[in-house]
Amino acid sequence: MDKFGMHNQTEQLYARYEGTGNADTTRYEWLTNQHRDTLAHYVMDDSLAMFISIAEGESVVRTKFKMLERMQQPCGPPPKKEDS
């Protein structure tokens, strides 16, 4: 495969999946995508959600709800943009 074909494939991946990032992705955006993907996996996998709920001593539904709430801003508020 030539380098142009590989470039087209990576561009298609970037367009299809937001979490893959690109050269302009900031550290905060990348970490936010990683945390959201992880939390989404925990919510969708019933055995993991049950394990976490037992460890926290709460119901499975409340644990899933708290994870869904954390998905809004998993890494806290975004950093302020610096004027360059």
Side-chain angles (χ1 to χ4, degrees):
M1 178 175 288
D2 61 347
K3 65 181 179 178
F4 298 113
M6 181 62 94
H7 181 70
N8 288 338
Q9 284 183 347
T10 55
E11 289 298 319
Q12 287 175 352
L13 282 175
Y14 293 153
R16 186 181 301 161
Y17 303 111
E18 180 183 339
T20 55
N22 58 26
D24 297 328
T25 302
T26 64
R27 181 174 190 257
Y28 175 78
E29 291 171 343
W30 186 81
L31 282 173
T32 300
N33 287 332
Q34 294 299 316
H35 282 264
R36 282 189 181 138
D37 288 347
T38 302
L39 288 169
H41 178 72
Y42 292 162
V43 169
M44 294 303 294
D45 190 345
D46 289 332
S47 60
L48 276 174
M50 188 174 294
F51 177 80
I52 293 169
S53 66
I54 290 171
E56 291 182 353
E58 293 186 353
S59 69
V60 176
V61 175
R62 170 140 340 250
T63 302
K64 287 184 176 186
F65 179 73
K66 285 170 59 177
M67 286 184 203
L68 288 172
E69 281 186 328
R70 280 183 26 206
M71 285 176 71
Q72 291 178 355
Q73 285 188 338
C75 298
K80 295 183 180 182
K81 303 239 178 189
E82 295 180 9
D83 292 332
S84 317

